[in-house]
Amino acid sequence: MSGWWAYLEERTCRAVDADVLRDQRLSAIRSVWEALRPLGVGLHEAELVVHARYEALSDRVQRTPADPLDLPSLAARAAALPGRVAAVEAFWDGDTVHDWFVVLVAVLDGREGESHLATVYHHRDGSPPGVAAAGAGRALACRLGVPFHFASPDLPDDEAPRWRTVQRPAEGRGPQSAG
């Protein structure tokens, strides 16, 4: 376990453990970082402290279930959205806690609207997130009769072109844009 744990006040330790037991990783990291920052502890070290607490309490952590990727669940989420779905899109994102993951969204008609459908993280015993998200996204797009877009399914790239970016130039080629 990280030696920094011993520098935390008992109240902070209890709060961090409570966050860990509720699977609130970011809140736990923030608490550790804020408490130890005056000692020169950086965000990475705070993450290591929390990771050690997850390991110590692993059998009691109430893990947040993964977003469902089955077609009926995704179709129900899409049907509940406030607008017509124009496309289904998957794109890469990442952070220091989860590394790379894929976000699956419904792109709605209108200027910039989109709605979160699922976040697909890497799991040791499952498909890579790109493969799982692409399969679920294609199936939903087919069910809804809309395009599916995933600019970089095989390689994490959080700067790959998004669906609206790709569509705008295509929309500009019509007769309305002529001179």
Side-chain angles (χ1 to χ4, degrees):
M1 164 139 11
S2 167
W4 289 111
W5 183 253
Y7 288 89
L8 294 173
E9 294 179 6
E10 185 177 335
R11 176 182 41 133
T12 303
C13 290
R14 283 194 310 270
V16 168
D17 280 352
D19 283 341
V20 167
L21 290 172
R22 290 188 319 267
D23 201 17
Q24 300 294 311
R25 184 180 301 264
L26 293 178
S27 180
I29 291 169
R30 184 181 63 238
S31 294
V32 170
W33 185 53
E34 287 175 354
L36 297 177
R37 192 170 22 174
L39 300 176
V41 172
L43 188 56
H44 180 70
E45 289 86 3
E47 289 178 70
L48 294 175
V49 170
V50 171
H51 179 74
R53 294 311 294 161
Y54 265 86
E55 288 181 350
L57 302 170
S58 65
D59 59 332
R60 297 177 24 215
V61 175
Q62 297 174 350
R63 303 268 179 197
T64 304
D67 287 338
L69 289 179
D70 61 284
L71 186 54
S73 295
L74 291 173
R77 282 187 171 187
L81 296 175
R84 191 182 84 74
V85 175
V88 175
E89 180 176 28
F91 59 90
W92 289 98
D93 201 353
D95 60 35
T96 57
V97 173
H98 300 103
D99 198 18
W100 287 105
F101 53 88
V102 177
V103 180
L104 192 61
V105 297
V107 179
L108 303 175
D109 268 347
R111 290 193 158 266
E112 298 298 323
E114 69 182 30
S115 189
H116 178 267
L117 296 170
T119 302
V120 186
Y121 298 103
H122 179 75
H123 296 286
R124 280 179 252 142
D125 55 348
S127 296
V131 172
R138 275 192 200 94
L140 179 60
C142 183
R143 162 85 60 95
L144 299 176
V146 299
F148 173 70
H149 178 76
F150 193 177
S152 181
D154 300 320
L155 187 64
D157 180 0
D158 60 354
E159 296 182 12
R162 298 284 307 272
W163 188 78
R164 287 194 190 275
T165 305
V166 172
Q167 289 304 110
R168 282 191 184 117
E171 291 169 356
R173 287 189 231 132
Q176 297 169 339
S177 67

